[in-house]
């Protein structure tokens, strides 16, 4: 059995989907051991609890100085770190401990609309403001620079003339729900 830790800062829809996927598809031998968040009120905590997965809150200071986090991951034999709407940088110490074992999902076709401060609706607003004809999702390895890691998977969707931030967010959400768990399976197969 391979173990993953899912990092999330918000509502947790991607984390919830990942937990459900691997609890229903045991043939992959992948287990979501726990959810890590930096916000005591994050919606992901209740979603994980409802699915029988423990959540742990680490302060931003603990994440920036990750000795306790590193000990925690080693003690629990974590194989892969999955960022699913986690809005803090991952410390270099964790990246060194988990080379090519930290992945993130981004709601645009990187390298476009990436970097610090580009997340959620901000990305969709920028995409629409620039009259793009298509957008999509990118799943990539995490390195020190925001959204600059090697791309593992991308998929696109078209943008209609009447597209709004909300309708575009729905399209992106559907792509994330379908492709993020599948990509985790492929990444884990290489470990």
């Amino acid at each position: 059995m391979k173990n993953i830790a899912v990092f999330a800062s918000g509502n947790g829809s991607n984390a919830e989907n990942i937990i459900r996927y691997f609890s229903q598809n045991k043939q992959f031998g992948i287990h979501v051991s726990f959810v890590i968040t930096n916000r005591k009120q994050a919606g992901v905590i209740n979603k994980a609890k409802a699915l029988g997965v423990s959540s742990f809150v680490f302060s931003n200071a603990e994440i920036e100085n990750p000795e306790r986090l590193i000990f925690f991951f080693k003690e629990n034999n974590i194989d892969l770190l999955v960022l699913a709407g986690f809005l803090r940088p991952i410390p270099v110490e964790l990246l060194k401990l988990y080379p090519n074992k930290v992945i993130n999902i981004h709601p645009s076709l990187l390298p476009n609309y990436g970097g610090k401060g580009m997340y959620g609706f901000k990305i969709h607003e920028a995409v629409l403001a620039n009259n793009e004809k298509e957008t999509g999702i990118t799943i990539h390895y995490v390195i020190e620079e925001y959204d600059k890691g090697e791309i593992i998977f991308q998929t696109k969707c078209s943008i209609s003339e009447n597209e709004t931030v909300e309708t575009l967010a729905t399209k992106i959400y559907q792509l994330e729900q379908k492709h993020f768990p599948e990509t985790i399976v492929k990444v884990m197969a290489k470990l």
Side-chain angles (χ1 to χ4, degrees), residues 10 16 62 65 68 72-73 79 83 98 107 113 128 158 172:
E16 178 183 32
E62 288 175 308
N65 300 295
R68 188 170 155 239
F72 191 68
F73 291 154
D79 299 294
L83 310 187
Y98 288 94
Y113 306 103
L128 293 175
S158 60
I172 295 299

Side-chain angles (χ1 to χ4, degrees), residues 70-182:
I70 288 169
F71 175 79
F72 191 68
F73 291 154
K74 285 182 177 178
E75 187 176 57
N76 288 283
N77 300 311
I78 299 302
D79 299 294
L80 183 72
L81 309 181
V82 176
L83 310 187
F86 189 71
L87 302 179
R88 299 290 305 171
I90 299 301
V92 175
E93 296 91 340
L94 273 179
L95 296 175
K96 286 180 180 174
L97 184 64
Y98 288 94
N100 288 326
K101 294 178 184 175
V102 183
I103 65 172
N104 183 45
I105 190 163
H106 190 78
S108 78
L109 297 171
L110 292 175
N112 298 330
Y113 306 103
K116 188 172 183 176
M118 290 303 284
Y119 59 89
F121 276 20
K122 292 180 181 184
I123 294 169
H124 307 321
E125 289 166 355
V127 165
L128 293 175
N130 287 329
N131 297 311
E132 298 285 358
K133 301 294 181 218
E134 62 184 12
T135 188
I137 63 167
T138 304
I139 300 168
H140 64 93
Y141 290 108
V142 176
I143 61 171
E144 287 181 61
E145 288 182 85
Y146 275 105
D147 302 325
K148 298 283 187 183
E150 178 187 344
I151 292 171
I152 303 165
F153 175 83
Q154 283 187 319
T155 191
K156 299 175 184 178
C157 64
S158 60
I159 299 173
S160 66
E161 270 185 46
N162 309 353
E163 203 79 66
T164 65
V165 170
E166 292 77 16
T167 60
L168 187 54
T170 298
K171 286 181 178 180
I172 295 299
Y173 173 78
Q174 290 168 346
L175 292 176
E176 291 173 339
Q177 296 287 291
K178 176 175 177 14
H179 296 288
F180 204 9
E182 294 172 352

